Amino acid sequence: MERLIPLGDARARDPEVAGDKAAELARAAAAEMPVLPGWVLPFGESAAAIAAARSGSGSPAAAVLAVSSVGLDPGLRHELGEAVRALGGHVVVRSSSPLEGDARWAGAFASYLDVGAGEIEAAVRGCWASAFTRDAQARAAHVGVDPAGLAVLIQPWVPFASGGAAARAPDGSIRLSVASGSPADLLSGRASGVTLRLDAGAPLEDASLPDGVSAPTARAALELARKVAALGDDAIEWGASCDGRVTLLQARRAAPAEPVATVVAPRRRRYPPVAERLATAAATYPGRLAERWVFPWALAVDALPPAEPLDVRHVAGAVDEAAALAADLTAFVWGLPRGRLAEEVGPSFRTLLGPEPSAELARLSTLGPPEPARAARLLGLLEGVGARLHADGSLGSPDDVWRVSPEELRAVVRGRAVAIRRGADRWEPFVFSVVRDRGRTFAGRAASPGLGAGRAVAIGASVDTSPPPRSVLIVRTVTPQLASLLWGAAGLVARSGSEGAHLFEVARSLGVPAILGVELDPRSEMIVAVDGDRGTVSVSSLAWRLDRSPPGRSSLERRTA
C-alpha cells in the first residue's frame, strides 16, 4: 500500500494527517488498547473533492453532489479494494477530521457500516461530502473554522451486540451509556438504552442494564474508559461483540463538566400574575431594546399583541416612530408624563431584578393595559426594522434588533458596526424563576447541566430555519443533525434518546441545559424553564390556559390563581 496508512504506523497518530478520530485510535492501539486494525486514507487525498465542492454554487446540496461525482484514480481504487479484502471483505468506513477532538463536532461527519469492496469508493466519497452538509457547514459558521477535507478510517465491520459511550468526570466517576445492538443507534439518538453514573469502584449489577448486556461487558467498558483516561482522553465510544469483548471505537476529550455560561436563578418565591406577564415579554423579546421599549407596557397586558413585521422603507423614520410609541405607551400605562419615565421605570426594573422584588411587583399589578393597536404597531415596526437591517447586511439576523440598546440601534441605522451580545439576557434568571414558580413542572432525566429559560420552539427531524436566540428547543429524538441549532439556545428538551447521544455531547460542550424523557406539546405561547441540574422542565401557566376555540380563533385566558 502506497497511499493508505496502516493504523499501526506512526504517521496515523498525527491528527493533521489522519484526523483526530483515527489519530486517537492509533495512539490507543500503540498503548495496547483493544482497537480494531485498519487503514487511514490521509487528509491530503481529499483535495480533489474539496476543489469540486468549491467550484459550484456554494450551496450545501450542490457541494455534496459535486463531491459525490468525483472519481477516484485507478491506483487508489485498487488499494481500497485490497484493504477491504485484507480486513475480511466487509468494513466500516468512518470520517476522521482534525476538528473532532472538540465535542462541538460530535456526530457531524458520516460513517458507513457493512461496506463491501464494490461500495468502498462511494463510501469514501460520502465521508468527504459530509464536510459540506448543511449541519457541518452551520457548525463551521458558528465555530469560525473550515471543516472541509477529511481523512477516512477503514476498519473491519463487526456486528456489535451492544455498545455506547462513557465519560469520566474530574472526580473519577463515570457516566456510562449502554444499549443492546449497534452503538451507532445509541449515539445517533435512535436508541435510548440505559445511562448509569458510577463512582470509582462502585458495584455494577445485571439488573440495572438493558436486556442482552451483561455486567462483565459493562465493567469492561468502564475499565476501558479508565485506561483511556490515563492517555488524556476522558470520553469514549465503545462496542461489544457477542462474546462480550469490548472494542474502543473513539476517544476524545469530553465536553466541559460545568456549563460554559450559566443562569443563576433567584431563590424560590411566590410571584403575582404581573410577574408572569413580564416574564413572557422578556422570553419573547430577550434583549436591551425590549427592556426599554417593550417591557414597561407589556407587564400590563394579558397577552402580547401579534407582531407581524411591517414593511419598513425608511429605517430612521421607523425607529423614531417606535421610540415615540414606546414612550407614549409607557406613559399611559404608568400614568406619568414622559419627562418622569426615566426616573420611575429604571429604578423599578432594578428592583425587580434584585433580591426582593415582591413589593414592587405588587405595586405594578395595578397598572392598566395600553391601547392594543398601538402596541401591535410598535412591535411590528421593530420587527420590520430588524428585517430591513438584516436585508441590508447591518445585522446578522433580524432577531439581533432586540439585542441592542436604543442608542446602539440608532448607531446601526447610521451605518456604524455594533457588537451584538450573545448568551443569556440579564432577565433570563427572572424568567426562569417565575416560570418555575407559576408553571407546571415535569420530571425527566438531566442530560446537560445548567439552567435556562425561553420561548419553546418545536423542531422536526430536519433543520430548515434557525430558531430565535435563547429559545428552548423541543425535539422528539436527539439526531446529530440538530446540533447547529444549539448555538444560542437556552435549553433542549427531548422526548427520547440517550444521554450518551452525540447531540447531548454538543449541548454539554456549549453549556446548553438539556432534559431527556419529557414530552411536551409546544405552542407559540409556551415559555419553558429548563433545570439541567435537577432534571426538571417547568412550563408557564399561560400555556395551560389555552381556550380550545376553532382553528384560527384560539385565545389565551387569564385564570390565574
Side-chain angles (χ1 to χ4, degrees), residues 33-344:
M33 302 289 181
V35 176
L36 294 171
W39 302 85
V40 177
L41 182 62
F43 182 90
E45 294 288 345
S46 64
I50 296 172
R54 289 176 171 163
S55 64
S57 66
S59 73
V64 169
L65 288 173
V67 174
S68 300
S69 66
V70 171
L72 306 186
D73 66 70
L76 181 55
R77 283 202 303 270
H78 175 75
E79 285 197 30
L80 289 170
E82 288 296 304
V84 173
R85 284 185 281 274
L87 295 173
H90 289 269
V91 296
V92 56
V93 181
R94 310 171 69 192
S95 304
S96 181
S97 167
L99 301 173
E100 288 179 303
D102 183 340
R104 292 177 295 180
W105 291 92
F109 306 114
S111 294
Y112 297 92
L113 310 180
D114 198 7
V115 176
E119 304 156 329
I120 184 67
E121 184 176 356
V124 167
R125 288 198 301 260
C127 288
W128 288 339
S130 67
F132 297 95
T133 61
R134 185 188 300 272
D135 172 36
Q137 291 295 306
R139 297 196 208 195
H142 287 297
V143 177
V145 300
D146 182 358
L150 295 170
V152 178
L153 173 63
I154 304 167
Q155 294 177 289
W157 161 242
V158 177
F160 290 114
S162 62
R168 183 179 182 273
D171 64 2
S173 64
I174 290 180
R175 183 188 69 249
L176 176 70
S177 296
V178 55
S180 300
S182 170
D185 290 338
L186 181 144
L187 297 167
S188 65
R190 294 190 297 269
S192 297
V194 170
T195 297
L196 307 172
R197 289 174 175 78
L198 302 165
D199 295 328
L204 198 157
E205 305 296 336
D206 288 298
S208 60
L209 296 169
D211 292 340
V213 182
S214 68
T217 296
R219 280 195 289 270
L222 284 171
E223 184 60 25
L224 178 60
R226 293 189 176 105
K227 288 181 178 179
V228 170
L231 298 179
D233 289 319
D234 46 19
I236 68 168
E237 297 170 9
W238 59 276
S241 54
C242 294
D243 60 7
R245 286 184 297 175
V246 170
T247 297
L248 179 65
L249 303 179
Q250 188 168 350
R252 64 169 180 268
R253 296 294 299 173
E258 296 296 332
V260 176
T262 61
V263 169
V264 179
R267 63 178 177 82
R268 288 186 177 273
R269 54 172 54 88
R270 298 302 300 174
Y271 287 97
V274 65
E276 192 169 6
R277 297 197 289 270
L278 181 55
T280 299
T284 305
Y285 303 109
R288 298 181 68 189
L289 186 68
E291 180 180 336
R292 298 266 293 276
W293 286 1
V294 177
F295 297 0
W297 56 263
L299 55 79
V301 300
D302 286 346
L304 290 168
E308 292 296 327
L310 298 178
D311 184 11
V312 171
R313 303 296 177 89
H314 304 287
V315 178
V319 171
D320 288 341
E321 183 185 351
L325 275 172
D328 287 345
L329 289 165
T330 303
F332 179 82
V333 167
W334 289 63
L336 295 170
R338 278 193 183 192
R340 290 188 53 197
L341 292 180
E343 65 183 74
E344 291 283 343

Side-chain angles (χ1 to χ4, degrees), residues 38 47 107 153 210 247 349 446 458 472 482 511:
L153 173 63
T247 297
F349 276 20
V472 174
L482 303 178

